[in-house]
Every structure is written in structure tokens, then in C-alpha cells.
Amino acid sequence: VKGGWLHHTSFLWDFDEENMGYLLLPSKRPDYRGDRSHDDFLVKLKDTYGNLKPTHFFSALKQSSEEEFDVETVTLNEAMALVDDKFGSMQNWFDTKCRTKVVDLE
């Protein structure tokens, strides 16, 4: 993002390990990643922070981020409007820039 920094990640509080098999090995990856599967490094946050409720974990994460960065909280609609403005549409971004792929499970 020009003049700023946008970080996107997925925090996995819990997940079904069977579904991790649908994640493909990315074609571009750092040398340290090698050919390791997602199972080699994905962890369930609930296994590490299970003594906390998910809402407490994410509140603490937001608070610590705000202590280090100028965090701007936006609604999903505001984020989608930004994507539409910058990339034409979420679908256009997904089809052209995004490395994530959707797998139809049916």
C-alpha cells in the first residue's frame, strides 16, 4: 500500500487437520520452507493459548499491535471498498493477484 503497510495473515485458532490436505505447496517459497507441508509448521492457537478465550487472545494481539504500529481498524465493508477501489473488485484481485486458490469440496 503506497505510503503505508498492509499485513494480511490468517490466525488459526482451531482447524480440522483433514482440511489442511487441500492446501497446495506454493510455487514461490523461501529456501528455508523447502518442500515442507503445511502440517510441518501450522499450529492451532488454541493448543498454545487454550487458557484464553479467542476474544481475549485477539484483543491482546490488537492492543500489542497498536503499541507498535499506527493501526487503522476498518469494517469488512470498508476493506472491500478499498479492494474494489484499488483492484477493480475482490474477484478481479482474486483472479489476478492472489495466490490463494479455492477448492470446491463438493
Side-chain angles (χ1 to χ4, degrees), residues 26-66:
S27 59
K28 292 182 181 179
R29 55 194 179 275
D31 291 338
Y32 68 83
R33 163 80 189 263
D35 291 333
R36 292 184 303 147
S37 74
H38 288 85
D39 289 338
D40 291 334
F41 56 88
L42 288 180
V43 297
K44 296 178 181 181
L45 290 173
K46 76 169 193 166
D47 292 345
T48 304
Y49 299 101
N51 59 322
L52 297 174
K53 292 181 179 180
T55 53
H56 294 149
F57 171 82
F58 291 109
S59 292
L61 179 65
K62 182 176 185 249
Q63 180 181 351
S64 64
S65 297
E66 290 171 338

Side-chain angles (χ1 to χ4, degrees), residues 89-102:
S89 72
M90 182 61 136
Q91 189 64 49
N92 181 58
W93 173 81
F94 194 82
D95 291 341
T96 60
K97 303 278 184 191
C98 180
R99 293 186 303 154
T100 301
K101 301 298 176 212
V102 174

Side-chain angles (χ1 to χ4, degrees), residues 9-10 21 29 35 39 47 50 54-55 66-67 71 73 77 79 82 85 87 89 96 103 105-106:
T9 193
S10 297
R29 55 194 179 275
D35 291 333
D39 289 338
D47 292 345
T55 53
E66 290 171 338
E67 291 170 4
V71 176
T73 303
N77 286 340
L82 178 64
D85 181 52
F87 300 108
S89 72
T96 60
V103 176
L105 298 178
E106 294 186 52

